[in-house]
Amino acid sequence: MKKRLLGFSIALSCLAFAGCEDDSTWLVKTTDGPMEISRIVNPKTYEEISSAALDQLILVQGVNLNNVATIFINDVEAEKPTDMIPVNGSILVRVPYIVPTEIDNKIKLTDKQGRSVEAPLEVTVPELVIEGMSCEYAPAGSTLVISGSYFDLYGMTPDDGVVLFGDIETPIVAANKTSVTVQVPGNVPANTTLTLKSDIKTATCPGKYKDDEYILQTFEDNTWNDSYKIAYVSGPNDPDHGEADDPAGISGKYMRYHNTYAGGWAWQGFDWPVINNRPEDFDTNAADYALKFECYAVKALADPILMIIPINGGQSDYRWGEDESFPTGEWRTYTIPLTETVGDINTWVEAAQAQFVFHAAGTGKESYWCIDNVRISKIK
């Protein structure tokens, strides 16, 4: 019993002695003094940084940072506790994912006594990117997806944004960082420009809805080609060779190819005359244009197709039809820059001619797809 009491007394003595020693720890002390910022670093590498991107996590190091009350980066306040975690001599901050109104490239800390300290920090704000419409001929009442980047950042959302088909305002049905979805309104005329609008930004969508200004082929007057099993139908119930799995047309008749390509260099296809319906600057700026059309893949694209056969200028090695990412079961607009299909575009424009031709080593797989509204369109 005496030994136990003696051990307990010794332990208490040791604790008392320790209490008299310096109580510093690995944490930086916090006092009532003003805050100081010594540097800003990448929390993963601890390398000092002078710039950061939206939504990036940064680590501010200094003195008395546990006293912080608010943090502003430019004119946007960082939220807490998610975006602001004080640990005495350093504080983790996530740069707010919000476009600032006033940019001064500074981070500003205010403490609980109202005292402020700031440091330079340049924040990179990405531009809104709008790539285009998923299907430029989406029928009225159907959903249309506009793809791009940072739609959410710029308020292109159901709560804060709208899409205008010309002057027809349409609500946004759904949105995320990379897409905006709307329901196509009725009575939208051909060659209509789409505009995305929010309190933060107004921007134009590339391309035109029902673009037919420089149309090459709509297939309305074409007839069945028995040799290549090419049909021109408006849907599965078309009396002229419609098939059960054919899609509903998006603008009258379309061309359907449902066959097994023989392989090798067997010529199968169809062509169009010289491109006379062309933009005014086409002869001098053909590289700014693309071949555009709507495609519906009933089955995954299987065999490559040569898209342009130039009369002059030499064809390139481009083949359409090997895009494994191309979706099945929906109409999508496909764009092919003319420079990808013609070797010497400046010579080609002298007698420009467009063709769809099977003229490549095929796989012998079943090929079942449809196209419509082949046209020339400006890339941007």
Side-chain angles (χ1 to χ4, degrees):
M1 181 67 177
K2 289 181 179 180
K3 288 183 179 179
R4 291 182 180 178
L5 288 173
L6 178 61
F8 184 66
S9 298
I10 291 172
L12 287 175
S13 299
C14 291
L15 288 172
F17 177 77
C20 295
E21 293 293 310
D22 182 10
D23 63 349
S24 63
T25 67
W26 60 274
L27 292 173
V28 178
K29 290 183 178 180
T30 298
T31 71
D32 289 333
M35 296 181 298
E36 296 179 16
I37 298 175
S38 58
R39 65 180 194 149
I40 302 172
V41 302
N42 182 329
K44 293 183 178 179
T45 64
Y46 279 82
E47 294 180 356
E48 190 167 358
I49 59 175
S50 59
S51 63
L54 297 185
D55 206 36
Q56 180 179 335
L57 192 65
I58 62 175
L59 182 66
V60 181
Q61 296 179 326
V63 177
N64 295 326
L65 298 183
N66 203 40
N67 292 331
V68 70
T70 63
I71 293 181
F72 279 81
I73 299 176
N74 291 311
D75 64 345
V76 182
E77 184 174 5
E79 295 182 3
K80 57 180 182 180
T82 305
D83 292 347
M84 195 169 66
I85 309 172
V87 188
N88 291 338
S90 62
I91 183 168
L92 280 169
V93 181
R94 188 171 297 280
V95 179
Y97 188 67
I98 298 174
V99 177
T101 302
E102 298 181 9
I103 298 176
D104 57 13
N105 291 318
K106 291 180 181 180
I107 181 170
K108 300 171 284 290
L109 283 63
T110 302
D111 67 12
K112 298 168 185 176
Q113 285 76 39
R115 297 169 295 189
S116 296
V117 64
E118 61 184 36
L121 182 66
E122 184 178 353
V123 176
T124 304
V125 180
E127 293 291 333
L128 174 65
V129 177
I130 306 178
E131 295 171 350
M133 296 170 253
S134 58
C135 178
E136 293 182 0
Y137 274 75
S142 66
T143 56
L144 171 66
V145 178
I146 301 170
S147 61
S149 295
Y150 305 111
F151 288 117
D152 56 344
L153 181 62
Y154 284 89
M156 305 301 178
T157 64
D159 292 333
D160 301 319
V162 295
V163 175
L164 287 88
F165 287 71
D167 57 1
I168 304 173
E169 185 174 300
T170 307
I172 294 174
V173 176
N176 55 35
K177 185 176 183 178
T178 59
S179 67
V180 165
T181 302
V182 296
Q183 185 176 36
V184 179
N187 301 317
V188 179
N191 302 307
T192 293
T193 298
L194 271 60
T195 304
L196 288 81
K197 185 177 181 181
S198 72
D199 291 339
I200 302 172
K201 185 86 170 178
T202 298
T204 301
C205 180
K208 294 180 180 180
Y209 179 71
K210 291 187 177 179
D211 176 16
D212 68 357
E213 188 173 7
Y214 303 111
I215 201 81
L216 302 181
Q217 183 61 274
T218 62
F219 307 112
E220 293 300 321
D221 300 322
N222 296 59
T223 57
W224 165 254
N225 183 321
D226 188 60
S227 298
Y228 303 146
K229 307 304 179 186
I230 295 174
Y232 304 94
V233 298
S234 58
N237 297 319
D238 195 304
D240 186 12
H241 296 88
E243 295 183 1
D245 292 329
D246 289 347
I250 49 176
S251 56
K253 289 190 174 183
Y254 56 84
M255 192 216 82
R256 184 201 71 219
Y257 180 83
H258 188 188
N259 198 12
T260 299
Y261 176 53
W265 294 97
W267 282 85
Q268 293 187 18
F270 55 96
D271 58 24
W272 305 290
V274 174
I275 302 173
N276 292 317
N277 182 25
R278 57 177 72 187
E280 292 182 2
D281 65 339
F282 189 75
D283 290 354
T284 54
N285 296 306
D288 294 339
Y289 290 88
L291 186 70
K292 188 179 285 189
F293 54 94
E294 277 63 53
C295 176
Y296 188 107
V298 182
K299 294 183 178 294
L301 299 177
D303 286 315
I305 306 161
L306 185 64
M307 291 300 299
I308 292 285
I309 298 288
I311 293 176
N312 301 301
Q315 68 193 45
S316 72
D317 293 329
Y318 181 85
R319 298 290 186 272
W320 175 75
E322 296 180 315
D323 187 353
E324 296 179 355
S325 66
F326 194 87
T328 59
E330 60 180 288
W331 284 102
R332 295 291 290 269
T333 297
Y334 205 100
T335 302
I336 304 173
L338 293 176
T339 53
E340 293 189 17
T341 64
V342 179
D344 181 356
I345 198 164
N346 293 322
T347 302
W348 174 75
V349 295
E350 295 177 3
Q353 184 175 4
Q355 288 186 328
F356 274 165
V357 176
F358 275 117
H359 191 49
T363 62
K365 295 180 180 179
E366 181 184 16
S367 195
Y368 189 0
W369 45 263
C370 314
I371 63 171
D372 202 358
N373 307 310
V374 183
R375 56 196 181 275
I376 297 294
S377 179
K378 200 154 192 175
I379 295 173
K380 290 291 186 180

